[in-house]
Every structure is written in structure tokens, then in C-alpha cells.
Amino acid sequence: MALKIALLGFGTVASGLPFLLEENGDKIRAAFGDDLEIAKILVRDDNEVNRLKENGHSYQFVTSIDDILNDPEIAIVVELMGRIEPAKTYILATLNAGKHVVTANKDLIALHGPEIQESAKAKGLAFYYEAAVAGGIPILRTLANSFTSDKIQRVLGVLNGTSNYMMTKMVDQGWTYEEALSKAQALGYAESDPTNDVEGIDAAYKVAILSQFAFGMTIAFENVSHQGISTITAEDVAVAQELGYVIKLVGRVEETASGILADVSPTFIPKKHPLASVNDVMNAVFVESIGIGQSMFYGPGAGQKPTATSVMADIIRIAHRLEDKTVGKAFNEFSRPTKLANKEDKCSHYYFAIETPDKTGQLLRIATIFNEQKISFRQVLQEKAQEGRARLVIITHMMNQLQLEAVQSQINQESDFKLLNAFKVLGE
Amino acid sequence: MALKIALLGFGTVASGLPFLLEENGDKIRAAFGDDLEIAKILVRDDNEVNRLKENGHSYQFVTSIDDILNDPEIAIVVELMGRIEPAKTYILATLNAGKHVVTANKDLIALHGPEIQESAKAKGLAFYYEAAVAGGIPILRTLANSFTSDKIQRVLGVLNGTSNYMMTKMVDQGWTYEEALSKAQALGYAESDPTNDVEGIDAAYKVAILSQFAFGMTIAFENVSHQGISTITAEDVAVAQELGYVIKLVGRVEETASGILADVSPTFIPKKHPLASVNDVMNAVFVESIGIGQSMFYGPGAGQKPTATSVMADIIRIAHRLEDKTVGKAFNEFSRPTKLANKEDKCSHYYFAIETPDKTGQLLRIATIFNEQKISFRQVLQEKAQEGRARLVIITHMMNQLQLEAVQSQINQESDFKLLNAFKVLGE
């Protein structure tokens, strides 16, 4: 008898599942030992049902979740509606009805994952979401399965395709932020309100999820600090190039002596670093660990087929575990009490771009501010003044969050200085 | 009660296991639910035992495999001796004794894997070898677990650290092959007889193993054609640069209409391709599939800690499966009848470097040879003649193995032409 699944929503990703069943049926059948059947699909209303039927879809569409919850033949429900509600309510109801759940909903996992996991665990049901982080890259399962023997020290990720496309064009083509954004919108990569992508919110959701798999620690979304790419100027990009870096929006989770830190921010990456060549809408997760050392997992971060492939991998995994009678194990079994890093332990090299008056002694004044915080410089670049204002660029040695805040506050107190930007710099 | 394992051999990789148990004990214990104990280690003879004890090792060393086979408390045996014999005999004896086996021995898997797998399967025992391909990169488990839902079309890999170190230096530093080899030997990357690394044999072993996981087809080692890097000249490297490529030793497995092809050869890689930035001793496996599209898995291909980490991941996997009572499933469950590609379906772009007399009409003669085989040119570069000989460089459009053989034979028949090199060129 075929294994029956139901889909909640039939948008871009969901409609990629029939493609995989069609093109890859033999292999999926071999993995299942049987057929996989999309038995029911929940859509919004009757208009939607009629529209889909007119487009030639012959699935059984339903408009009430109860038609799925009350169908004893459906074993797995795949949530692909996105957003928090009604997705959350439907998933909890599905678990209550004793069915396994697969989702690609990163917002939901980052904000309410633990609650849903608890519910699944209590009922011995599977709750998988490989597609929620870096779409087509099987990074969550790899962290859960292959890094059990290793101790991860830091995870760095290019996790948002839209902002990475924009940054690639700003670096390679010299486009401004505005030009890159309007092109990304024209191509459908960015939404009309691009906030989630360009301000690092989408990447921060993924960072929160990665923290559970890489460090066994659940970090609340509000503890993932995020800074976006909208303040990056053509000058920042040019000076990065000149000094041997490219700028990308990077998510980071790192374990320090006091605990973990998680953030998303524009970051200078040395051109030789593997993350520097992750371009356009591609994503990558770079892992630093005591055993393997450096490894990187690269692939498409979004898109219909890649995301559908990750969803299908979860479905097949559940089918295997049903067969093995081991279903109900947590997607990620690595769990420790969460400890957050102190500000003293949140360290990085930094890039500062500071506008100063074009008169003698300015570098000395700036140097004094940094020196008071015991921060030393690795590179300094003073650019030619224009219209009475000079632009000073500094790359620092390692400094911590307390030092950063002190320096920022001091620069801001000096009325004739203007702190244009401060970004992290990845060491070689 | 601790889970007891035995090691066969105590060389570089094996002595990395205690490091992981020490540094990562908590996480490994959490994964096991218990301690993992190295109960016995097989070494060559009493001299070796004495030497190790003098160096402060307090493990129980034995010099007869029977001390391990007859110990009912040992559940898992880890073979890290390398080479074919006595490793093969010991592994088969271990399986006969009802114990699970982990190995990192790629030569053995490539040459005798199916026989050993059959034996393990018949007895319901685990036989895992994640470390056999690309050392620290968890590529085999990823192919087995996360690509079940996808259909792979081609796998390309930089699979040999030694030759990749040499090629990186030849490209970046302009070293000759001989300079690169002697430096690699001085650093301990290459052995005094470097044949396995530089002639593509080591990479071919890995390609044979990748074929099983990516395509479910077992390809005999003698059907993996391999061409090494020893004929690559400084001129080849320079012209590659000029045309926008880097040269690397690339392993390939590809499914064509008639079957699979597997080979290892120097390959021109476009500079923008993710494999082009895999440098020094690092490895990477680049996967092209109908679902995910393009993905790449990057990391150290060898080394004590990375390889030990992969070995430990296998051990932990067995422990999990023992707990779940699902042990005995094949490492790779994807299996189809093997079909080999026809020569007509073995296609690539090619680079040709041909030495010709320095007189008019030579390009016409060469063009005629290619034209007769219906091969068209994508790029042609005629270099300035020296001492009466000219050097002609051609990048072709797609051509197959039959066309390649015909062109090579025709060029070789013309006594005043000399075919210097013919390498594959990866399309964009």
C-alpha cells in the first residue's frame, strides 16, 4: 500500500514535489519499498480549488484542515504555507492527530521550534525541517549525523540568497545598494518590502536553527543580533576590494568560554577564504571544528526544486524510520543547556569607516580613542579629502563587544566625527 | 557498560581517535548513552609494543588478531592498517567472528568492497567506511542520506590532496611539476614513490566508491580510466590562466544515456566554478542533480584528525544502530545493475596542445583533421614559434571518446606534428 501524504499549501515549493515523484520515481520507490502518494492538498478556498483544477491539476484539493486530520490513511503532513499562523496551529493539530510533520518554515522553527518539538517528542512523532536552512543544502542532517564525533567551534554562513545576489553585484559590477535592490526585485529575488532579506532577519532565523544543530543550544531569536546590508556604500565595497576582501552578509554562531554568540552582519571576507567565492543566490555553511578542521557545504539556498528535494528527503527519512520502527527520535538529538556569551567574549576584527574634518591631527584623535580601549590597528587607510571632509578607514586587531561599544560611543560624542560604518572582518 | 572497540594498526589516523575521545568525550558519551573504550590495539610485533609503551601509551596492545576475534566483549573493530593484505583477511575474519567493522581503506573498498559488503550483509553486521573518500568530508553518508530524494547526473571531485597541492603551486606560484613534487615530498604530502597520487590512482579508487553512492552502480576499478598530472607543463598552466581556467586533477562519474562513465584526469576548470577555488591539500566533491542543482562539499581530504573524525562518526553510527536494533543495513542502500557508457556518450570539451613545424598551412592541416571528425573549435591560440617549431592550442566544443581517439591517432600519424597534451575542459 502506498504511503499517503498531505500537503498544506500548494505554492512554489509544494508544486515541485510532483516533479520529483515523476522524474525520480524509481529511486524514491526503491527507498520506500513502495509508492509515495500525495493524497490530499489543503488550499485556501473553493476559488483556489477551481483555479488549480482549471490549470489541469487532478489532486484531491480540500479547504478544511479537518479533512486531512480525520483521514486515518494519511501518515505524513507537509506544511508549506509559510508564516506563523495558521501554520503553527495546523502543525500542532496534525501532531495531536498522530501524524508526522515535515516543514520548510524557518520563521516558525526559529520562533516556536522548541514548543513544536516538545509536542512531537511527547507523541513519538517525527518533526523534520531540513529545508528550513539553506534550502537545497542538506546541512541540518549533516550536522546531526556526521558531526556527532566532532566538536564545532564556529559556524559561518552565507544564508540569504537575495542579499548575497545584491552583494555579489555590488562587488563584481560596482552597483549601488539601490541599483542591486531594484534589480533583485525585478528578478523576483526580493519582495516589494525587502526588510527580512536585506536587514538580516531571514538569515537570523537560520542562525538560530543552526545553533541547535551545531552546538546543541537553543538560542531565542531575540538573542541573535542582526545588522543588514542597507548601509553598505560603494566606498565600503571599493576599500574592501583594495584591502583584499569581499563584503558579504554573514551569519555566525560561535562557542566562547562563557557561552555561545549568534549574529548576522556584513562581514569583510578575505578573498582566499572559501566563503568569498559563494556568489549570486547561492548559500554556503562553513564549519570550523576540532576534528575535521574546516569544511564547507555549498548549494542553492532557495528555489522550487532544491527546497522540494530537501522536503522529500525528510519524507523519505520518516518512511525509513517507520519501516525501522525508530520514528519519533528528534531531528536533532544534541542538546545542552543554553549559555550565552559575555560581551567580553564576543570578539572579532573590525572595519571602521570614519568621516573626519580635513585638518591635521585627526588620525591622532582617532588613534587616541582606540588606544584608550587598548585596540590596535592592523591596517589604516586615509583617503584624499573632498569638500573639507576626509575619510579614514581602519581595520583593527581582535576586539570585543565592550570595546566596540565604547569606541562607537566615543566617536559619536565627537561632533565633527561621523562613524559611517563598522563591520566585522574575518581573520585569515 | 562501555562499548568496547579494537583497532587494527596504530598509525597516524588511529592515534587521532584518543584525541577525539579526550577532547569531545561529553558529546560522544551523550551520543552513545555510554562510554566508548579502546579495549585492544593490534600492532605488528613485540618491538612495536615496547616502542609504544616507552612512548607512554597504556593501551592493551596485542600482536595476534585472534586476541581480538576471540574477545566477546569487543563489538566493533576498526581497520586502519591500509593496503590490501592482511587487512582484507582480518576484516573478513572479524565479520566471521560477528563483529562490526569500520575502515578508512579506500584501496580495499575500491577493489574488494562488494565481496566484503556481501559478507557483512549476510551476517547482519555493519561495514562502514566514510573516511575512505575525501577524509574529513562526510560525503558518503550525505549521498546515502540526503540525496535519496534526488537524481544525481554528475559528480566531479578534487579527491587527492597531494596532487591538488602540487597543482595549486604550479598555478599560483608558477612552479614546475618537478619543483612541486619535490616540495610535496619534503612536506610529507607525497611519498618517495608518488605514483598513486600523481597518476590519479588514489583518486580513481575514490571515484569507484563514489559511483556506488551517487549512482547505485558498482564500477570495477579497471573501468575507471585515469590520467595523471605528470605531463602537465608550465606552458599548459600558463595558457589555462590566459584563457580563464585553472588546471586540477578531477575525478568524474557521470550517468549518460547508455550507462555510467568514471574517470580521473587533468581538467581545465573555469575560474568562476566553485571547484576552481579548492586549493592546497583540500578536497571537494561537486554534485550536479535534477533536484538540488549544484552543490559542493568541501573539506580536508586527509590528515590525522579529519580522518579520525570520520572513523569516529562511523563508530557512533553503529552504536546508534545497535541501540535502535537496526544494525546491519548496508552503508549504501542504493543499488542498480551496473551499465557502462558507450564511447559515443563519453563527452567533454577538450584542450589540445600540438607542436607543429613553423611554416604556413599548419593550422589548416590541423583544422582538417578535426573537421573530418566533425569537431568544432571554441578557442584557438597560436603561439609565437621558437627554433622552427610552433605551438598550437585548441579548445574544442563537445566531443566524444571515439572522436578523441580518432583525432589523437591522426595527429600521431603525421610525423611532423607532436601532440603535447590533451586534457578535458569543464563547460561553464
Side-chain angles (χ1 to χ4, degrees):
Chain A
M1 204 186 72
L3 186 74
K4 291 190 178 182
I5 66 170
L7 312 183
L8 309 187
F10 199 59
T12 309
V13 173
S15 49
L17 293 171
F19 162 83
L20 287 173
L21 286 176
E22 178 77 23
E23 291 292 316
N24 209 11
D26 288 352
K27 191 173 172 189
I28 293 174
R29 212 167 291 123
F32 270 104
D34 206 336
D35 275 320
L36 175 67
E37 185 190 326
I38 299 174
K40 283 179 184 169
I41 301 175
L42 177 73
V43 296
R44 201 178 312 117
D45 52 31
D46 288 337
N47 289 338
E48 187 70 7
V49 173
N50 292 333
R51 193 184 63 75
L52 287 162
K53 287 195 167 160
E54 276 162 25
N55 287 340
H57 289 291
S58 57
Y59 291 104
Q60 187 180 346
F61 294 103
V62 299
T63 56
S64 162
I65 183 77
D66 293 332
D67 287 338
I68 290 167
L69 299 181
N70 297 331
D71 184 339
E73 291 196 338
I74 290 172
I76 303 170
V77 172
V78 183
E79 184 275 309
L80 294 165
M81 314 167 77
R83 311 281 165 100
I84 303 303
E85 284 299 347
K88 186 186 169 197
T89 301
Y90 287 0
I91 286 177
L92 289 171
T94 301
L95 293 170
N96 264 325
K99 300 178 193 308
H100 307 286
V101 173
V102 172
T103 179
N105 192 328
K106 60 187 163 300
D107 315 29
L108 184 62
I109 306 294
L111 297 173
H112 304 285
E115 177 190 345
I116 302 173
Q117 275 150 23
E118 274 310 307
S119 171
K121 195 178 164 189
K123 295 175 181 68
L125 294 166
F127 176 57
Y128 294 164
Y129 43 88
E130 176 65 73
V133 177
I137 311 175
I139 185 64
L140 297 184
R141 190 150 282 127
T142 300
L143 290 172
N145 288 338
S146 295
F147 280 85
T148 2
S149 57
D150 203 349
K151 184 191 270 177
I152 294 175
Q153 298 157 304
R154 182 162 71 162
V155 174
L156 299 168
V158 172
L159 299 168
N160 178 270
T162 307
S163 59
N164 199 44
Y165 168 82
M166 290 171 60
M167 288 310 310
T168 302
K169 295 304 177 189
M170 288 167 70
V171 170
D172 289 356
Q173 315 286 338
W175 295 0
T176 63
Y177 170 81
E178 289 73 21
E179 287 166 344
L181 177 58
S182 74
K183 185 71 185 203
Q185 286 171 326
L187 288 168
Y189 295 155
E191 296 178 51
S192 54
D193 175 0
T195 311
N196 267 17
D197 290 322
V198 301
E199 295 304 339
I201 297 166
D202 173 82
Y205 287 139
K206 295 165 183 168
V207 160
I209 299 171
L210 283 172
S211 159
Q212 298 169 16
F213 284 74
F215 296 98
M217 292 192 190
T218 301
I219 189 165
F221 178 67
E222 63 267 24
N223 289 324
V224 184
S225 68
H226 55 91
Q227 180 187 1
I229 62 169
S230 57
T231 67
I232 300 174
T233 64
E235 288 77 20
D236 295 320
V237 170
V239 81
Q241 289 270 32
E242 193 179 335
L243 298 174
Y245 299 93
V246 293
I247 315 182
K248 291 192 177 291
L249 186 67
V250 172
R252 169 175 73 150
V253 200
E254 185 174 343
E255 182 162 7
T256 73
S258 54
I260 56 166
L261 66 89
D263 55 25
V264 174
S265 59
T267 302
F268 276 43
I269 304 173
K271 281 180 187 166
K272 285 262 172 191
H273 192 284
L275 281 176
S277 44
V278 177
N279 287 322
D280 299 315
V281 294
M282 299 306 271
N283 282 14
V285 178
F286 186 84
V287 180
E288 295 170 347
S289 57
I290 63 163
I292 296 178
Q294 299 191 329
S295 51
M296 188 172 84
F297 305 87
Y298 165 96
Q304 180 186 47
K305 290 180 196 170
T307 311
T309 304
S310 285
V311 167
M312 188 64 85
D314 282 346
I315 297 172
I316 292 178
R317 189 74 178 164
I318 293 176
H320 270 159
R321 294 206 157 200
L322 283 170
E323 198 186 295
D324 290 348
K325 304 196 186 352
T326 58
V327 83
K329 285 203 166 199
F331 189 14
N332 166 44
E333 297 184 75
F334 182 29
S335 177
R336 296 185 291 164
T338 301
K339 281 194 292 186
L340 297 180
N342 300 333
K343 284 184 177 180
E344 290 89 331
D345 288 338
K346 294 186 176 180
C347 293
S348 181
H349 305 267
Y350 272 89
Y351 156 89
F352 287 87
I354 306 164
E355 200 182 277
T356 69
D358 178 26
K359 51 186 187 191
T360 53
Q362 303 310 305
L363 178 57
L364 178 62
R365 285 175 63 197
I366 296 281
T368 306
I369 292 175
F370 280 82
N371 192 53
E372 276 170 6
Q373 297 300 326
K374 301 193 175 21
I375 301 161
S376 55
F377 296 167
R378 203 164 69 177
Q379 282 170 292
V380 177
L381 201 74
Q382 182 161 356
E383 296 177 338
K384 237 167 120 180
Q386 283 185 333
E387 296 166 14
R389 301 288 286 174
R391 196 167 176 278
L392 195 65
V393 165
I394 294 162
I395 307 264
T396 73
H397 281 288
M398 207 57 105
M399 53 187 281
N400 68 33
Q401 183 76 15
L402 289 176
Q403 291 172 306
L404 175 68
E405 287 171 7
V407 165
Q408 282 176 322
S409 130
Q410 277 235 267
I411 295 171
N412 288 332
Q413 273 167 38
E414 307 275 338
S415 62
D416 54 358
F417 287 161
K418 189 177 169 197
L419 179 54
L420 300 168
N421 266 322
F423 297 140
K424 294 196 183 69
V425 177
L426 198 59
E428 307 268 345
Chain B
M1 204 186 73
L3 186 74
K4 292 192 177 180
I5 67 171
L7 312 183
L8 309 187
F10 199 60
T12 310
V13 173
S15 49
L17 293 171
F19 162 83
L20 287 173
L21 286 175
E22 178 76 23
E23 291 292 316
N24 209 11
D26 288 351
K27 191 174 172 187
I28 293 174
R29 211 167 292 123
F32 269 106
D34 205 336
D35 274 322
L36 175 67
E37 184 190 326
I38 300 174
K40 283 180 183 168
I41 300 175
L42 177 73
V43 296
R44 200 178 314 121
D45 52 30
D46 288 338
N47 288 340
E48 187 70 5
V49 173
N50 292 335
R51 194 185 63 76
L52 288 162
K53 288 195 169 161
E54 276 164 25
N55 286 340
H57 290 290
S58 56
Y59 291 103
Q60 187 180 346
F61 295 104
V62 300
T63 56
S64 161
I65 183 76
D66 293 332
D67 287 338
I68 290 167
L69 300 180
N70 297 330
D71 184 338
E73 292 195 341
I74 290 171
I76 303 171
V77 173
V78 182
E79 184 274 309
L80 295 165
M81 314 167 75
R83 311 281 167 100
I84 304 303
E85 284 298 349
K88 186 186 168 197
T89 302
Y90 287 180
I91 286 177
L92 289 171
T94 301
L95 293 169
N96 264 325
K99 301 179 193 305
H100 307 286
V101 173
V102 171
T103 177
N105 191 328
K106 60 189 164 297
D107 315 29
L108 184 62
I109 307 293
L111 298 173
H112 305 284
E115 178 189 346
I116 302 172
Q117 275 150 23
E118 274 311 304
S119 171
K121 195 178 163 189
K123 295 176 181 67
L125 294 166
F127 176 56
Y128 293 164
Y129 43 88
E130 176 66 75
V133 176
I137 312 176
I139 184 65
L140 298 183
R141 191 151 280 126
T142 300
L143 289 172
N145 288 338
S146 294
F147 280 85
T148 3
S149 58
D150 204 349
K151 183 190 271 177
I152 293 175
Q153 297 158 305
R154 182 163 71 165
V155 174
L156 299 168
V158 173
L159 298 168
N160 178 269
T162 306
S163 59
N164 199 44
Y165 169 82
M166 290 171 60
M167 288 311 307
T168 303
K169 295 305 177 190
M170 288 167 71
V171 171
D172 288 356
Q173 316 285 341
W175 294 0
T176 63
Y177 170 81
E178 289 72 22
E179 287 167 342
L181 177 59
S182 74
K183 185 72 185 197
Q185 285 171 327
L187 288 168
Y189 295 155
E191 296 177 52
S192 54
D193 175 0
T195 311
N196 268 18
D197 289 323
V198 301
E199 296 305 339
I201 297 166
D202 172 83
Y205 287 139
K206 295 165 183 169
V207 161
I209 300 171
L210 283 173
S211 160
Q212 298 169 16
F213 284 74
F215 297 98
M217 292 192 191
T218 301
I219 189 164
F221 178 68
E222 62 267 25
N223 289 323
V224 183
S225 68
H226 56 90
Q227 182 187 359
I229 62 170
S230 57
T231 66
I232 300 174
T233 64
E235 288 77 20
D236 296 320
V237 170
V239 81
Q241 289 270 33
E242 193 179 335
L243 298 173
Y245 299 93
V246 294
I247 314 182
K248 290 190 177 293
L249 186 67
V250 172
R252 170 176 73 150
V253 200
E254 184 173 344
E255 182 162 7
T256 73
S258 54
I260 56 167
L261 67 89
D263 56 23
V264 174
S265 60
T267 303
F268 277 42
I269 304 173
K271 282 181 186 165
K272 284 264 173 190
H273 192 284
L275 282 175
S277 43
V278 177
N279 287 323
D280 299 315
V281 294
M282 299 306 271
N283 282 13
V285 178
F286 186 83
V287 180
E288 296 170 348
S289 58
I290 64 163
I292 296 177
Q294 299 190 329
S295 50
M296 188 172 85
F297 305 87
Y298 164 97
Q304 180 185 48
K305 290 180 196 172
T307 311
T309 304
S310 285
V311 167
M312 188 65 85
D314 282 347
I315 298 171
I316 292 179
R317 189 74 177 166
I318 293 176
H320 269 159
R321 294 207 156 198
L322 284 170
E323 197 185 297
D324 289 349
K325 304 195 185 355
T326 58
V327 84
K329 285 203 165 198
F331 189 15
N332 166 44
E333 297 184 76
F334 181 29
S335 177
R336 296 185 291 163
T338 300
K339 281 195 293 187
L340 296 180
N342 300 332
K343 284 185 177 181
E344 291 89 330
D345 288 338
K346 293 186 176 181
C347 293
S348 180
H349 305 268
Y350 272 89
Y351 157 89
F352 288 87
I354 306 164
E355 200 182 277
T356 70
D358 179 27
K359 50 187 188 191
T360 53
Q362 302 311 304
L363 178 57
L364 178 63
R365 285 174 64 197
I366 296 280
T368 306
I369 293 175
F370 279 82
N371 192 53
E372 277 169 7
Q373 296 301 325
K374 301 194 177 18
I375 300 161
S376 56
F377 295 167
R378 203 164 68 178
Q379 281 171 294
V380 177
L381 202 74
Q382 182 161 356
E383 295 178 339
K384 238 166 115 179
Q386 282 185 334
E387 296 167 16
R389 300 289 285 173
R391 196 166 176 277
L392 194 65
V393 165
I394 294 163
I395 308 265
T396 73
H397 281 288
M398 206 58 104
M399 52 187 282
N400 67 35
Q401 184 76 15
L402 289 176
Q403 292 172 307
L404 175 68
E405 287 171 7
V407 165
Q408 282 176 324
S409 130
Q410 277 234 267
I411 294 172
N412 288 333
Q413 274 168 37
E414 307 273 338
S415 62
D416 53 358
F417 287 162
K418 188 177 171 198
L419 180 54
L420 299 169
N421 266 322
F423 297 139
K424 294 197 184 67
V425 177
L426 197 59
E428 307 269 343

